[in-house]
Amino acid sequence: MNDKFYMKRAIELAKKGAGYVNPNPMVGAVIVKDGRIIGEGYHERYGQLHAERNALKSCSEDPKGATIYVTLEPCCHYGKTPPCTEAIIESGIARVVVGTLDVNPIVAGKGVKILKDHGIDVTVGVMEEEVKSLNKVFNKYIITGLPYVVMKYAMTSDGKIATRTGASRWISCEASRKKVHELRSRLSGIMVGVGTVIADDPLLTSRDSDINKNPIRIICDSNLSIPLDSQVVLDAANNKTIIATCKGNPDKMRALEGYGCEILKVPEKDGCVDLKVLMVMLGARGIDSILLEGGATLNYSALKTQIVDELQIFMAPKVFGGRAKSPVEGLGVDIPGKAIQLIPRNVSMVGKDIFIENEVSYQCLQE
């Protein structure tokens, strides 16, 4: 077995923390001695033991002289838990293999240096790209303080998100809808426009997910026109709901707050909530990631203001035809050269649907 083999296992373990550790990174660890795995663990929940300490706790024999494979550089500071570097040194582990360095300035190479200073052999960069992708949410949030935004929509093979009458249930298959609920549970927040609330009255929870966690609901409502009897308002006492608005009468605000909603006053831009400012405000509240399930207008605004990091598309093998809505409307670009560029990262089948994962590139807009 080589380093890559054991790092793959550490990555598998790390993924088990998805949805539970935000805003911390997902981390997995595997301890190997004489070619045998003697311990493994992962960061299970925010505030609990880190992967390295869980792996050491699970060891079936003395880890002295062993190698530990860990996806992220071991921490070297006191936070919710003591430093993992301290536990590794005390255990007598001889070698540490790290997937990637931590981007957090309070660690960022310091953990590796401490281990080396104590005579431990350290290797960095094994399966580094895979590990960085695993923690793309954490990396962006730590570096910028802004949430990682995933735009998601389902469309037909001719690019429609509804029929000419506005009917949209259901475009995607049951397996795709389950995957969306799982994604909701893994990210901190879910954002829609008030138009979606008025048209569909969604609950915006992760009902069909194995992870028992609902995202924070964020409603972009420039004029505070959300109905008081909408599901997200009536359920606000049970699941945190933020309404971002530019204006609205004080009586309506008090009524919404009475239901448990948080009203967030955001500056106006072009008659709507300034999405860039909103991202700063949400990041300051500890929201490290957002699933954008907006309508065509909000989708356009989000791409135009460059807040979207990733675009996930579920394409159903159906054709609606006609003049039905497309996923992104607004003014649009005037020439193909100004198109927002997507970098496809993965294409797979989910049930009968084609699932396309893209990174969003704004290079053309910046130029």
Side-chain angles (χ1 to χ4, degrees):
M1 305 297 181
N2 57 24
D3 288 346
K4 189 174 180 180
F5 175 85
Y6 295 115
M7 189 59 72
K8 277 184 178 179
R9 176 56 185 162
I11 291 172
E12 289 173 7
L13 290 166
K15 289 177 180 178
K16 292 184 177 184
Y20 295 110
V21 300
N22 309 60
N24 280 357
M26 292 178 280
V27 184
V30 176
I31 300 174
V32 179
K33 188 173 184 179
D34 299 328
R36 296 172 290 107
I37 294 177
I38 63 168
E40 54 184 33
Y42 64 98
H43 184 29
E44 298 176 9
R45 286 186 182 274
Y46 175 73
Q48 295 185 5
L49 291 179
H50 288 185
E52 299 93 323
R53 288 183 176 269
N54 277 328
L56 286 166
K57 190 172 68 170
S58 77
C59 278
S60 57
E61 60 184 87
D62 187 352
K64 186 175 182 180
T67 297
I68 185 169
Y69 294 83
V70 59
T71 55
L72 188 66
E73 178 182 12
C75 66
C76 54
H77 63 289
Y78 283 87
K80 295 283 185 182
T81 59
C84 290
T85 50
E86 188 178 277
I88 291 170
I89 293 164
E90 290 174 355
S91 72
I93 280 176
R95 181 177 180 234
V96 178
V97 180
V98 177
T100 188
L101 295 179
D102 194 334
V103 298
N104 192 334
I106 62 177
V107 182
K110 300 181 184 72
V112 165
K113 183 178 185 304
I114 288 171
L115 295 173
K116 287 182 175 179
D117 287 348
H118 282 80
I120 296 173
D121 180 20
V122 182
T123 301
V124 178
V126 175
M127 298 190 69
E128 187 164 22
E129 290 308 310
E130 290 87 340
V131 174
K132 283 183 177 179
S133 178
L134 178 70
N135 282 313
K136 54 194 173 185
V137 168
F138 171 77
N139 291 342
K140 181 189 178 182
Y141 185 64
I142 288 296
I143 293 169
T144 68
L146 301 174
Y148 186 92
V149 179
V150 179
M151 178 187 290
K152 183 280 304 179
Y153 56 75
M155 68 178 190
T156 60
S157 293
D158 60 336
K160 308 298 183 184
I161 60 171
T163 66
R164 60 182 176 80
T165 65
S168 60
R169 295 188 179 180
W170 295 104
I171 291 175
S172 57
C173 68
E174 186 176 349
S176 292
R177 297 196 296 274
K178 180 175 174 57
K179 189 174 183 68
V180 170
H181 280 272
E182 290 173 351
L183 182 59
R184 287 180 180 182
S185 66
R186 287 188 171 94
L187 301 181
S188 295
I190 181 170
M191 187 165 80
V192 301
V194 70
T196 297
V197 174
I198 293 171
D200 301 334
D201 193 22
L203 191 56
L204 302 177
T205 56
S206 52
R207 300 177 297 282
D208 298 327
S209 170
D210 295 331
I211 301 174
N212 187 27
K213 182 176 90 54
N214 288 322
I216 296 170
R217 295 178 292 216
I218 304 144
I219 316 299
C220 291
D221 184 4
S222 301
N223 299 308
L224 209 63
S225 55
I226 188 169
L228 292 176
D229 62 352
S230 59
Q231 289 198 86
V232 291
V233 172
L234 296 177
D235 187 55
N238 301 316
N239 294 294
K240 188 172 178 62
T241 302
I242 297 172
I243 300 176
T245 187
C246 309
K247 50 196 171 185
N249 75 69
D251 290 339
K252 181 84 175 274
M253 288 185 185
R254 282 192 290 270
L256 289 165
E257 288 171 340
Y259 281 104
C261 298
E262 178 185 350
I263 307 299
L264 204 56
K265 292 295 293 291
V266 184
E268 182 180 323
K269 185 173 183 180
D270 300 327
C272 299
V273 166
D274 188 324
L275 294 177
K276 279 196 170 182
V277 175
L278 177 59
M279 291 303 107
V280 174
M281 297 172 78
L282 295 174
R285 281 164 171 73
I287 298 174
D288 68 348
S289 51
I290 293 171
L291 177 62
L292 177 59
E293 291 197 39
T297 301
L298 182 57
N299 284 349
Y300 174 72
S301 297
L303 288 167
K304 182 182 177 183
T305 53
Q306 303 185 2
I307 67 167
V308 182
D309 299 285
E310 187 175 329
L311 176 54
Q312 296 190 357
I313 303 167
F314 294 87
M315 188 167 71
K318 303 172 183 176
V319 173
F320 284 170
R323 297 183 179 180
K325 281 188 175 183
S326 66
V328 182
E329 294 194 338
L331 182 62
V333 299
D334 52 0
I335 58 172
K338 292 183 179 178
I340 295 168
Q341 300 295 312
L342 303 180
I343 305 171
R345 293 302 186 197
N346 188 50
V347 179
S348 59
M349 296 297 298
V350 178
K352 295 180 179 179
D353 299 336
I354 299 172
F355 179 49
I356 309 169
E357 298 172 89
N358 306 275
E359 179 184 329
V360 183
S361 172
Y362 296 104
Q363 184 178 0
C364 289
L365 286 182
Q366 291 167 349
E367 288 174 356

